[in-house]
Amino acid sequence: YLVGEGLTFADLSLATTLQFVAPSPALIQADAAFVRAWTDAALAEELAPLLAVRDRLLEAPPYRPVR
């Protein structure tokens, strides 16, 4: 988590904002063309540590994707 020991608004804001850098398949079902269009490879590389935090967040409870 970004702040403290639990899920906060900061964590949710980070996860949502990073969708515009590299969409997470845990948050949206999209085809390859969509993912290419919405991915900024250079920015994703620069923000790789934050993307890793987002991905760990989405794998941990209490997050439960709804499909």
Side-chain angles (χ1 to χ4, degrees):
Y1 302 106
L2 292 175
V3 179
E5 298 296 321
L7 189 66
T8 65
F9 181 75
D11 300 307
L12 297 175
S13 296
L14 173 73
T16 303
T17 302
L18 290 175
Q19 285 296 97
F20 295 100
V21 175
S24 169
L27 292 177
I28 188 168
Q29 293 180 350
D31 62 19
F34 177 91
V35 173
R36 278 192 311 274
W38 277 78
T39 299
D40 183 326
L43 194 52
E45 184 177 333
E46 184 178 333
L47 298 177
L50 289 177
L51 289 167
V53 169
R54 179 205 54 196
D55 294 342
R56 282 193 309 273
L57 236 165
L58 296 177
E59 293 171 1
Y63 178 77
R64 299 281 187 260
V66 177
R67 300 204 186 238

